[in-house]
Amino acid sequence: MGGTHGADGAPPRPEQVLRPDQVLGPAGVGVWRWNRPRALLELDPVCGRLLGVPGSPGRLLDREVRAVLHGEDFVRLRSTAQLAITEHRVFDIRVRVMSDTGRVCRALLLQLVPGSAESPYPVQGTAVEAHWQEDCVPRPAPPPSGGLAAPSRPPLTRRPAAGAPGPEALEAELRQIESLNQAGAEFAPPQLLPVPTADMRRSREAFLLDAGRALAEAATTSEVLRVVASLSMPGFSPDGLAVFGVEGAMLTVVGQHGHRTDDEAPFRMSLDADYPGAEVARTGRPVYLSSPEEYQRRFPTTWPLAEGFGRRSWAFLPLVTGGRTTGTWLAAFHEPVRFTPEERAVLSTVARMLAHALERAHTNESERALSLGLRNSMGAGTPAVTGMTVASRYVPTGGGLMVGGDWYDVIDLPEGRFAVVIGDVEGHDVHAASLMAQLRTAVHAYAAEGHHPDAVLARTSRFLAGLDADRFATCVYIEADPASGTLAIARAGHPHPVLRLPDGTCLIRHVGGGLPLGLMPEGEDYPVTTMELQVGEVMLLCTDGLIETGGHDMYSGWVRVRDTMAPGPADDLEAMADALIRAVHGPASHSGPGHLADRREDDIALLLLRRDAVGPEAEPPARQLVLTVGQDQPERIAGVRAELRAVLHDWAVPDHVDAALLLASELLANVLVHTDQEATLVAALYGTPGERRLRVEVADQSDEQPHRRTPGEMASSGRGLILLELLAHRWGMQPRGQGKCLWFELDEAGGSTG
């Protein structure tokens, strides 16, 4: 009772209260704690002396602690400290303190005590000088006669806990240090000694932490199987492993290790078979077979299949994810294993981690396969276009997906025209890739219908808004006429094109534009900018990944693009496209702004468009006739026939003239009968006499498509498409922005029709 008061019976004054280090220090016990926010080991003077840094300011960095401890002990110390923090348990560990010359100075016994979760000191403890003889066994010298020699231990002693060491204690300490320094040459490996139960438990706990970390880092099924094959469980390591999957009513092998390549056949069997792996997959309960006799007794049907492998013990554990058994894990042992509760707990924990790792890898691989398929849908190249050259590139992000939200497309249009489009959907996930594929299809369809660039973007914006109200996309759509070099450009929130002139000068070609697709589907307006691409000029369309990847902003990114495009070579667009990609991801890009880790932060799509010289320009039609027939003007069809006959007055094949008049009359009459629109006829002659080509187009503003019919003998209609097939050398139907156009062609050198 009086122990809590001073000599006079009064309570002790605050300055009389002793700190822990003041109590433990005289006993030779050091006190330390780990300051996680500052990454420092804080220690008292006694602990500093024990670690061989008596003059330290009481704080050691991580690298300084590593320098004074044996390398193996430092790794074990970090793992044990992490285990103490994770499980909130107290652990003891022995470590060796090393000198500057690499010799062992002393052995310490450290106690690791976890702190509270909110404390800046997650682990703290004490340090005291200790024996090392429990961990080192002297290697006996070989006897002269070749017989066995009894092992002997070096005389290791404990240094007195307090006070100055006497001569005998000092001599004993020197002998202990000398024994520690000679441990590598005179001592057998520590594993020859029976490992205490507590050490085994700690080793298994450390193994589970390492296994969980390795499985968490495995991204593919093959990597997961490789990690499982490398697992070495303390005390009972399996030498044969197999992972089974369930496919319908069959048990199949996902991967194996430690079996011959022809050992895979026994693993393929029905789930109803009398096989341990099949039973585990059916019931979800593990099966442990500690001896061949037990295997033969419980599974006599399939025992002959397992007998030839020479194993002595087997563990079959279920792989469960989301409450569903997805497979079985087999661990086979050459040595008998009793499968104690501790060993079963380790195996069950590994099986759970393996199941989650395989499920995660399967999800990753499925997403990569989906994204790769979407990427392949863009095609490996671009079509050849007379009068213009197109080059394209797509580079995926550095993440798990092989595609993001970027896309490009080249679309064939009627009359020798084509369209190029490039876009970027918000995000870099599978959802963005899926939206990208749908948008690309929608743009292609609207363009093929003949809509003008502004109408294509407006319709695509409404389409995206109907798919996903939370995502938007940017886009540039260009309709190109290779014959004249005319480009009609519509832009929706996308970066402006870059124009490279023949002398290497690069300019940002500012074009009018509207909001990104999907933001205001009902009120968007996309103005169309018309320009003429001159021979030798190159236009670049790209997504923001080409500009901003690598830590660039829009200004420095454009400078990088300019410096890459300006030198050319303009006559090789493929080489120019490769140079642009190398400028972002090649070795030269690492000297610019940004960090190497940011080089794959966004996917990249780019298109290069160059106008080529194709000899003399195409000659205009030698003769052309344009007439319009209204709904209330059926009598004008006769006038159209007369004027068309006049255009063909010198055609070499009279039958062609009659066929042209008949087909033109039929197409005009179909418009007047089956629609409520007026019909426009355009007839043009191309080429020189004797080798000319006649093209006749009849257009209207109705969306109703013509259909083939089977008229009877007395029917007065329904023969239009049949006549086109019989009389025309070529014919077709083209959708246009408003309505459609039916056309046919006749070749003067093609002989008689029909």
Side-chain angles (χ1 to χ4, degrees):
M1 318 310 165
T4 60
H5 297 74
D8 55 357
R13 295 187 301 273
E15 59 269 18
Q16 292 179 317
V17 178
L18 299 178
R19 299 189 308 273
D21 57 335
Q22 292 176 323
V23 176
L24 300 176
V29 180
V31 179
W32 58 269
R33 61 183 182 180
W34 174 248
N35 189 331
R36 178 161 50 188
R38 303 180 61 184
L40 292 173
L41 182 70
E42 300 179 359
L43 59 160
D44 67 352
V46 176
C47 192
R49 179 180 61 80
L50 292 175
L51 289 174
V53 285
S56 69
R59 295 182 298 275
L60 294 179
L61 297 173
D62 184 82
R63 63 175 181 273
E64 295 173 329
V65 178
R66 184 192 297 268
V68 300
L69 297 182
H70 192 282
E72 296 179 358
D73 299 344
F74 179 78
V75 174
R76 288 192 301 113
L77 176 61
R78 294 191 63 174
S79 300
T80 307
Q82 185 61 43
L83 190 60
I85 297 171
T86 303
E87 298 194 355
H88 207 71
R89 292 170 50 194
V90 178
F91 287 89
D92 294 338
I93 182 173
R94 291 182 177 88
V95 297
R96 288 162 287 182
V97 180
M98 310 298 292
S99 68
D100 294 338
T101 60
R103 297 175 64 85
V104 178
C105 296
R106 63 180 59 84
L108 301 181
L109 176 63
L110 303 182
Q111 185 179 71
L112 284 65
V113 181
S116 61
E118 61 276 2
S119 172
Y121 304 99
V123 63
Q124 53 194 340
T126 59
V128 63
E129 196 164 353
H131 292 284
W132 193 257
Q133 60 184 9
E134 290 86 345
D135 299 308
C136 298
V137 181
R139 186 187 302 275
S145 61
L148 298 176
S152 61
R153 293 182 180 270
L156 303 182
T157 60
R158 181 185 297 274
R159 180 175 177 175
E168 296 181 359
L170 182 59
E171 182 180 357
E173 181 178 3
L174 293 176
R175 289 198 304 271
Q176 176 177 342
I177 294 174
E178 183 63 24
S179 300
L180 292 172
N181 288 325
Q182 296 178 359
E186 300 180 1
F187 287 55
Q191 58 266 27
L192 295 181
L193 275 180
V195 182
T197 303
D199 290 344
M200 175 63 75
R201 183 169 59 251
R202 294 168 191 164
S203 298
R204 288 175 178 173
E205 290 167 347
F207 156 76
L208 291 176
L209 286 175
D210 291 339
R213 185 181 306 109
L215 288 172
E217 294 174 353
T220 64
T221 301
S222 60
E223 291 178 4
V224 172
L225 297 176
R226 194 159 48 244
V227 170
V228 174
S230 65
L231 295 180
S232 179
M233 304 179 190
F236 67 117
S237 291
D239 49 31
L241 300 169
V243 176
F244 305 98
V246 177
E247 293 183 3
M250 298 297 295
L251 191 71
T252 61
V253 172
V254 177
Q256 58 85 23
H257 173 73
H259 301 85
R260 298 186 302 272
T261 55
D262 57 348
D263 291 343
E264 201 171 313
F267 297 141
R268 299 183 180 275
M269 58 183 61
S270 170
L271 288 178
D272 296 328
D274 183 30
Y275 180 66
E279 178 178 311
V280 171
R282 289 195 312 267
T283 64
R285 295 189 296 270
V287 172
Y288 298 98
L289 304 171
S290 56
S291 66
E293 293 76 17
E294 184 179 4
Y295 197 127
Q296 185 177 12
R297 176 178 55 82
R298 294 183 57 182
F299 301 95
T301 305
T302 54
W303 163 246
L305 300 177
E307 185 178 10
F309 297 119
R311 297 326 197 288
R312 304 295 302 277
S313 299
W314 301 261
F316 294 83
L317 296 105
L319 300 176
V320 181
T321 55
R324 181 174 59 92
T325 302
T326 59
T328 303
W329 175 45
L330 163 64
F333 304 83
H334 267 301
E335 300 298 329
V337 179
R338 293 182 303 164
F339 296 117
T340 63
E342 291 80 6
E343 292 168 343
R344 295 189 182 196
V346 171
L347 289 170
S348 299
T349 303
V350 173
R352 288 194 297 271
M353 294 189 297
L354 174 59
H356 288 291
L358 287 172
E359 182 71 15
R360 184 173 57 253
H362 177 70
T363 302
N364 292 339
E365 290 170 348
S366 299
E367 290 182 350
R368 288 174 66 88
L370 170 62
S371 60
L372 186 59
L374 294 175
R375 176 189 176 188
N376 291 337
S377 69
M378 284 190 282
T382 52
V385 180
T386 303
M388 287 188 177
T389 302
V390 182
S392 61
R393 291 291 184 274
Y394 177 79
V395 180
T397 67
L401 298 181
M402 294 297 294
V403 70
D406 295 9
W407 91 93
Y408 67 84
D409 201 359
V410 181
I411 308 167
D412 287 325
L413 298 177
E415 301 175 355
R417 297 172 296 113
F418 70 96
V420 293
V421 57
I422 192 165
D424 185 359
V425 177
E426 176 192 12
H428 304 98
D429 51 9
V430 174
H431 185 42
S434 176
L435 285 177
M436 174 273 294
Q438 296 179 78
L439 279 186
R440 182 171 178 268
T441 302
V443 171
H444 200 119
Y446 293 139
E449 288 182 353
H451 296 290
H452 295 296
D454 54 344
V456 170
L457 294 188
R459 284 168 166 75
T460 306
S461 181
R462 289 193 292 271
F463 176 79
L464 176 58
L467 289 177
D468 192 333
D470 296 330
R471 299 278 181 128
F472 65 86
T474 63
C475 182
V476 170
Y477 179 91
I478 299 180
E479 184 178 304
D481 184 357
S484 62
T486 302
L487 305 180
I489 308 172
R491 187 175 64 88
H494 201 81
H496 294 275
V498 174
L499 186 63
R500 182 190 185 276
L501 304 181
D503 63 355
T505 303
C506 294
L507 306 171
I508 297 177
R509 183 63 167 87
H510 289 272
V511 298
L515 293 174
L517 305 176
L519 290 184
M520 294 181 61
E522 300 301 328
E524 289 174 292
D525 180 29
Y526 298 102
V528 177
T529 301
T530 302
M531 62 169 290
E532 184 176 342
L533 193 66
Q534 301 297 326
V535 174
E537 292 182 342
V538 178
M539 176 169 284
L540 165 68
L541 303 175
C542 67
T543 56
D544 56 357
L546 183 69
I547 305 169
E548 298 177 343
T549 294
H552 287 270
D553 55 23
M554 292 298 291
Y555 175 79
S556 60
W558 281 128
V559 171
R560 177 173 61 182
V561 170
R562 179 201 64 192
D563 294 344
T564 306
M565 289 188 66
D571 57 345
D572 188 351
L573 284 194
E574 298 295 334
M576 182 179 291
D578 291 337
L580 288 167
I581 297 301
R582 285 196 304 269
V584 177
H585 291 308
S589 68
H590 303 158
S591 60
H595 304 286
L596 181 60
D598 297 328
R599 300 290 163 180
R600 307 299 296 275
E601 63 190 7
D602 197 0
D603 48 347
I604 297 173
L606 69 86
L607 280 168
L608 291 171
L609 179 64
R610 183 190 65 214
R611 187 182 179 191
D612 302 325
V614 289
E617 296 185 0
E619 296 180 358
R623 302 170 191 166
Q624 186 169 350
L625 174 66
V626 180
L627 294 172
T628 300
V629 179
Q631 281 286 326
D632 57 348
Q633 299 172 323
E635 68 280 358
R636 292 201 61 185
I637 296 179
V640 171
R641 287 197 296 267
E643 293 194 39
L644 183 57
R645 184 181 293 275
V647 170
L648 300 175
H649 69 91
D650 57 350
W651 191 268
V653 184
D655 289 347
H656 288 180
V657 177
D658 295 335
L661 299 180
L662 175 59
L663 293 178
S665 301
E666 182 68 24
L667 295 182
L668 290 171
N670 284 341
V671 173
L672 300 183
V673 172
H674 298 292
T675 74
D676 57 355
Q677 306 291 328
E678 65 180 15
T680 301
L681 180 140
V682 178
L685 278 178
Y686 300 90
T688 59
E691 298 181 352
R692 290 176 291 187
R693 173 173 59 93
L694 169 67
R695 181 181 177 90
V696 177
E697 298 179 354
V698 176
D700 63 79
Q701 296 185 349
S702 172
D703 292 329
E704 184 176 353
Q705 305 296 310
H707 301 284
R708 180 187 296 274
R709 302 179 186 181
T710 306
E713 294 183 2
M714 303 301 294
S716 60
S717 63
R719 296 183 176 86
L721 298 184
I722 297 176
L723 291 174
L724 284 172
E725 288 186 354
L726 291 175
L727 302 179
H729 292 142
R730 290 172 300 278
W731 71 278
M733 192 273 295
Q734 297 173 349
R736 293 189 172 177
Q738 294 179 344
K740 62 184 180 298
C741 169
L742 279 167
W743 59 270
F744 67 87
E745 291 184 351
L746 294 171
D747 296 329
E748 191 173 18
S752 299
T753 61

